[in-house]
Amino acid sequence: MVTDVHRTLMYGGIFMYPGDKKSKSGKLRLLYEGNPMAMLCEVAGGRAICAKGKRVLDVQPKSIHERTPIYLGSTQCVDQLEKHMKDE
C-alpha cells in the first residue's frame, strides 16, 4: 500500500481499495493502514474517503482491527469518484 500511495502522491490519480462480496467492510485496517495514509494524502493537499463518502480521519473506530474501504488521491479525482458513487 505504501508504494501505491507514494505513486499516487507523486504522479496524481486515485488509490482505491473498495469492499467486495467477501469483505464488505474492506480489507485495510483503519487504525494501521487507512488513517496514516489518509493523513499523508490530506497533508499533501488531497482527500481520503471511505465507502459512504465520509472523511477517513473522521471515522471513529469501534475496534482496534476495524477495517474500512478507502479511496484516496487528488482532490479532483476523489471529488469525481464521490459524484459517481452518489449517482449509483
Side-chain angles (χ1 to χ4, degrees), residues 21-32:
K21 289 181 182 180
K22 185 177 177 185
S23 305
K24 291 191 188 323
S25 60
K27 293 184 181 179
L28 298 179
R29 292 172 297 167
L30 179 63
L31 290 176
Y32 305 114

Side-chain angles (χ1 to χ4, degrees), residues 13-86:
I14 191 165
F15 172 83
M16 297 187 285
Y17 210 122
D20 57 16
K21 289 181 182 180
K22 185 177 177 185
S23 305
K24 291 191 188 323
S25 60
K27 293 184 181 179
L28 298 179
R29 292 172 297 167
L30 179 63
L31 290 176
Y32 305 114
E33 297 161 322
N35 278 343
M37 293 303 142
M39 178 67 138
L40 288 173
C41 189
E42 289 190 8
V43 167
R47 287 186 62 207
I49 61 172
C50 60
K52 297 174 184 167
K54 187 173 182 180
R55 186 173 169 246
V56 173
L57 296 175
D58 289 341
V59 176
Q60 293 294 323
K62 295 173 186 70
S63 71
I64 195 163
H65 294 292
E66 180 178 346
R67 297 176 187 274
T68 187
I70 190 166
Y71 307 90
L72 55 87
S74 68
T75 302
Q76 297 86 1
C77 290
V78 175
D79 287 346
Q80 189 174 8
L81 172 71
E82 192 172 32
K83 181 183 171 205
H84 287 293
M85 288 170 58
K86 287 181 181 177

